[in-house]
Structures are given as structure tokens and as C-alpha cells.
Amino acid sequence: QVQLVESGGGLVQPGGSLRLSCAASGSIFSINRMGWYRQAPGKQRELVATITSGGSTRYADSVKGRFAISRDNANNTVFLQMNSLKPEDTAVYYCNSDRIVARGTSWYNVWGQGTQVTVSS
């Protein structure tokens, strides 16, 4: 099986920075598009950023210019660098891939367990 595991969340003051990581485990052959999503209490999950296998990125308007998504294909890892954090960024952050190939099998819409980010004074 394949698994995505997020790490790097925590408590940070407004204006601070945090870097999230998401590592895929298993006998990974390839990972297609990856993305970061977040869900705040009482709200539905929303898209934060995506990155294609070739490195093309897209961002939600609310985080544009503050967040940066990147990936390290050699280590099957995607990152989210978050700068100038605001209280409105407080949420559980999840990573996702639309397709992962491992041991000759394609896995679709794979999700991590999430990591909490809290921005507060």
C-alpha cells in the first residue's frame, strides 16, 4: 500500500513562518499532481496550492505571495512553505495526490492524515 504522512504543523505567531512536509511511503514508482488543502473548524475543505509532476504551481488567492509549494521527487516529498502567516490560516492542513503508482498499481485520490496549524498571539 501507499501512504502520505504530513508533518511540520504547530503554533506560530501572526507574521511568522512554518514549513509543512508530506512524504509518500511504499514502493513508489511515480506521483502525479500533488496538492495541499486545509479545513478550518465549521468550514469545508479548501484548496491551498497544487504542483504538477513537472513543477507547475497554482495557489488560492488568499495565500498567493505568502505560500510556496515545492516537491522533491527523489524523496517522494512535497512541501508547503508558509510565510507572513495570519490567524485566518489556522486549519488542519492535508496533502493529496491525484495518482500514485506503486508496485504496478495505480492509487487515486490519496490523502494524508493532516497536521494542525494554529496562528495566534
Side-chain angles (χ1 to χ4, degrees), residues 1-4 24-28 100-103 105 107 110:
Q1 66 175 19
V2 300
Q3 185 177 12
L4 296 177
S25 63
S27 299
I28 306 297
I100 300 175
V101 180
R103 291 188 175 274
T105 300
W107 300 69
V110 182

PDB file of all heavy atoms in Angstrom, residues 1-4 24-28 100-103 105 107 110:
ATOM      1  N   GLN A   1       0.829  -1.176   0.000  1.00  0.00           N
ATOM      2  CA  GLN A   1       0.000   0.000   0.000  1.00  0.00           C
ATOM      3  C   GLN A   1       0.877   1.244   0.000  1.00  0.00           C
ATOM      4  O   GLN A   1       2.073   1.164   0.255  1.00  0.00           O
ATOM      5  CB  GLN A   1      -0.938   0.007   1.208  1.00  0.00           C
ATOM      6  CG  GLN A   1      -0.224   0.125   2.534  1.00  0.00           C
ATOM      7  CD  GLN A   1      -1.198   0.256   3.695  1.00  0.00           C
ATOM      8  OE1 GLN A   1      -2.368  -0.082   3.586  1.00  0.00           O
ATOM      9  NE2 GLN A   1      -0.705   0.742   4.826  1.00  0.00           N
ATOM     10  N   VAL A   2       0.262   2.387  -0.260  1.00  0.00           N
ATOM     11  CA  VAL A   2       0.947   3.663  -0.207  1.00  0.00           C
ATOM     12  C   VAL A   2       0.326   4.512   0.883  1.00  0.00           C
ATOM     13  O   VAL A   2      -0.837   4.331   1.263  1.00  0.00           O
ATOM     14  CB  VAL A   2       0.910   4.397  -1.560  1.00  0.00           C
ATOM     15  CG1 VAL A   2       1.577   3.571  -2.627  1.00  0.00           C
ATOM     16  CG2 VAL A   2      -0.524   4.718  -1.950  1.00  0.00           C
ATOM     17  N   GLN A   3       1.112   5.461   1.388  1.00  0.00           N
ATOM     18  CA  GLN A   3       0.666   6.300   2.481  1.00  0.00           C
ATOM     19  C   GLN A   3       1.295   7.680   2.348  1.00  0.00           C
ATOM     20  O   GLN A   3       2.453   7.810   1.955  1.00  0.00           O
ATOM     21  CB  GLN A   3       1.052   5.674   3.821  1.00  0.00           C
ATOM     22  CG  GLN A   3       0.531   6.393   5.041  1.00  0.00           C
ATOM     23  CD  GLN A   3       0.888   5.676   6.336  1.00  0.00           C
ATOM     24  OE1 GLN A   3       1.719   4.759   6.345  1.00  0.00           O
ATOM     25  NE2 GLN A   3       0.285   6.085   7.434  1.00  0.00           N
ATOM     26  N   LEU A   4       0.528   8.723   2.677  1.00  0.00           N
ATOM     27  CA  LEU A   4       1.026  10.085   2.757  1.00  0.00           C
ATOM     28  C   LEU A   4       0.993  10.528   4.212  1.00  0.00           C
ATOM     29  O   LEU A   4      -0.029  10.378   4.881  1.00  0.00           O
ATOM     30  CB  LEU A   4       0.184  11.037   1.913  1.00  0.00           C
ATOM     31  CG  LEU A   4       0.179  10.814   0.395  1.00  0.00           C
ATOM     32  CD1 LEU A   4      -0.778  11.799  -0.273  1.00  0.00           C
ATOM     33  CD2 LEU A   4       1.583  10.966  -0.170  1.00  0.00           C
ATOM     34  N   ALA A  24       5.562  10.467   0.907  1.00  0.00           N
ATOM     35  CA  ALA A  24       4.887   9.254   0.462  1.00  0.00           C
ATOM     36  C   ALA A  24       5.757   8.042   0.762  1.00  0.00           C
ATOM     37  O   ALA A  24       6.962   8.053   0.505  1.00  0.00           O
ATOM     38  CB  ALA A  24       4.583   9.319  -1.034  1.00  0.00           C
ATOM     39  N   SER A  25       5.153   7.011   1.315  1.00  0.00           N
ATOM     40  CA  SER A  25       5.864   5.783   1.625  1.00  0.00           C
ATOM     41  C   SER A  25       5.305   4.629   0.803  1.00  0.00           C
ATOM     42  O   SER A  25       4.149   4.657   0.374  1.00  0.00           O
ATOM     43  CB  SER A  25       5.789   5.451   3.114  1.00  0.00           C
ATOM     44  OG  SER A  25       4.443   5.218   3.510  1.00  0.00           O
ATOM     45  N   GLY A  26       6.122   3.601   0.631  1.00  0.00           N
ATOM     46  CA  GLY A  26       5.777   2.466  -0.203  1.00  0.00           C
ATOM     47  C   GLY A  26       6.763   2.341  -1.342  1.00  0.00           C
ATOM     48  O   GLY A  26       7.698   3.129  -1.464  1.00  0.00           O
ATOM     49  N   SER A  27       6.551   1.342  -2.170  1.00  0.00           N
ATOM     50  CA  SER A  27       7.420   1.147  -3.331  1.00  0.00           C
ATOM     51  C   SER A  27       6.948   2.058  -4.454  1.00  0.00           C
ATOM     52  O   SER A  27       6.330   1.621  -5.426  1.00  0.00           O
ATOM     53  CB  SER A  27       7.416  -0.321  -3.748  1.00  0.00           C
ATOM     54  OG  SER A  27       7.899  -1.162  -2.712  1.00  0.00           O
ATOM     55  N   ILE A  28       7.264   3.344  -4.313  1.00  0.00           N
ATOM     56  CA  ILE A  28       6.741   4.368  -5.202  1.00  0.00           C
ATOM     57  C   ILE A  28       7.445   4.333  -6.553  1.00  0.00           C
ATOM     58  O   ILE A  28       8.674   4.377  -6.624  1.00  0.00           O
ATOM     59  CB  ILE A  28       6.881   5.770  -4.584  1.00  0.00           C
ATOM     60  CG1 ILE A  28       6.239   5.811  -3.194  1.00  0.00           C
ATOM     61  CG2 ILE A  28       6.261   6.815  -5.509  1.00  0.00           C
ATOM     62  CD1 ILE A  28       4.752   5.543  -3.199  1.00  0.00           C
ATOM     63  N   ILE A 100      -0.906   7.927  -7.610  1.00  0.00           N
ATOM     64  CA  ILE A 100       0.387   7.386  -7.216  1.00  0.00           C
ATOM     65  C   ILE A 100       0.492   5.978  -7.767  1.00  0.00           C
ATOM     66  O   ILE A 100      -0.413   5.166  -7.598  1.00  0.00           O
ATOM     67  CB  ILE A 100       0.562   7.358  -5.687  1.00  0.00           C
ATOM     68  CG1 ILE A 100       0.447   8.766  -5.099  1.00  0.00           C
ATOM     69  CG2 ILE A 100       1.908   6.736  -5.313  1.00  0.00           C
ATOM     70  CD1 ILE A 100       0.488   8.806  -3.583  1.00  0.00           C
ATOM     71  N   VAL A 101       1.596   5.675  -8.433  1.00  0.00           N
ATOM     72  CA  VAL A 101       1.840   4.332  -8.966  1.00  0.00           C
ATOM     73  C   VAL A 101       2.869   3.644  -8.088  1.00  0.00           C
ATOM     74  O   VAL A 101       3.971   4.161  -7.875  1.00  0.00           O
ATOM     75  CB  VAL A 101       2.324   4.373 -10.423  1.00  0.00           C
ATOM     76  CG1 VAL A 101       2.558   2.955 -10.936  1.00  0.00           C
ATOM     77  CG2 VAL A 101       1.313   5.100 -11.299  1.00  0.00           C
ATOM     78  N   ALA A 102       2.512   2.474  -7.587  1.00  0.00           N
ATOM     79  CA  ALA A 102       3.394   1.691  -6.732  1.00  0.00           C
ATOM     80  C   ALA A 102       3.167   0.209  -7.000  1.00  0.00           C
ATOM     81  O   ALA A 102       2.020  -0.247  -7.019  1.00  0.00           O
ATOM     82  CB  ALA A 102       3.149   1.998  -5.265  1.00  0.00           C
ATOM     83  N   ARG A 103       4.241  -0.525  -7.195  1.00  0.00           N
ATOM     84  CA  ARG A 103       4.174  -1.966  -7.465  1.00  0.00           C
ATOM     85  C   ARG A 103       3.212  -2.300  -8.601  1.00  0.00           C
ATOM     86  O   ARG A 103       2.451  -3.266  -8.519  1.00  0.00           O
ATOM     87  CB  ARG A 103       3.792  -2.729  -6.196  1.00  0.00           C
ATOM     88  CG  ARG A 103       4.869  -2.722  -5.131  1.00  0.00           C
ATOM     89  CD  ARG A 103       4.512  -3.646  -3.978  1.00  0.00           C
ATOM     90  NE  ARG A 103       5.598  -3.730  -3.008  1.00  0.00           N
ATOM     91  CZ  ARG A 103       6.622  -4.577  -3.099  1.00  0.00           C
ATOM     92  NH1 ARG A 103       6.714  -5.414  -4.123  1.00  0.00           N
ATOM     93  NH2 ARG A 103       7.556  -4.589  -2.156  1.00  0.00           N
ATOM     94  N   THR A 105       0.590  -0.831  -9.515  1.00  0.00           N
ATOM     95  CA  THR A 105      -0.791  -0.495  -9.224  1.00  0.00           C
ATOM     96  C   THR A 105      -0.952   1.012  -9.111  1.00  0.00           C
ATOM     97  O   THR A 105      -0.105   1.687  -8.525  1.00  0.00           O
ATOM     98  CB  THR A 105      -1.258  -1.164  -7.916  1.00  0.00           C
ATOM     99  OG1 THR A 105      -1.143  -2.581  -8.043  1.00  0.00           O
ATOM    100  CG2 THR A 105      -2.702  -0.802  -7.602  1.00  0.00           C
ATOM    101  N   TRP A 107      -2.914   4.164  -7.544  1.00  0.00           N
ATOM    102  CA  TRP A 107      -3.737   4.592  -6.419  1.00  0.00           C
ATOM    103  C   TRP A 107      -4.228   6.000  -6.723  1.00  0.00           C
ATOM    104  O   TRP A 107      -3.433   6.887  -7.027  1.00  0.00           O
ATOM    105  CB  TRP A 107      -2.940   4.581  -5.111  1.00  0.00           C
ATOM    106  CG  TRP A 107      -2.402   3.232  -4.750  1.00  0.00           C
ATOM    107  CD1 TRP A 107      -1.413   2.533  -5.380  1.00  0.00           C
ATOM    108  CD2 TRP A 107      -2.828   2.415  -3.651  1.00  0.00           C
ATOM    109  NE1 TRP A 107      -1.191   1.339  -4.753  1.00  0.00           N
ATOM    110  CE2 TRP A 107      -2.046   1.237  -3.683  1.00  0.00           C
ATOM    111  CE3 TRP A 107      -3.784   2.571  -2.649  1.00  0.00           C
ATOM    112  CZ2 TRP A 107      -2.202   0.215  -2.747  1.00  0.00           C
ATOM    113  CZ3 TRP A 107      -3.936   1.566  -1.711  1.00  0.00           C
ATOM    114  CH2 TRP A 107      -3.154   0.399  -1.774  1.00  0.00           C
ATOM    115  N   VAL A 110      -5.274   9.997  -3.093  1.00  0.00           N
ATOM    116  CA  VAL A 110      -4.670   9.571  -1.840  1.00  0.00           C
ATOM    117  C   VAL A 110      -4.511  10.769  -0.913  1.00  0.00           C
ATOM    118  O   VAL A 110      -4.016  11.817  -1.326  1.00  0.00           O
ATOM    119  CB  VAL A 110      -3.302   8.907  -2.084  1.00  0.00           C
ATOM    120  CG1 VAL A 110      -2.697   8.419  -0.775  1.00  0.00           C
ATOM    121  CG2 VAL A 110      -3.445   7.747  -3.063  1.00  0.00           C
TER     122      VAL A 110
END
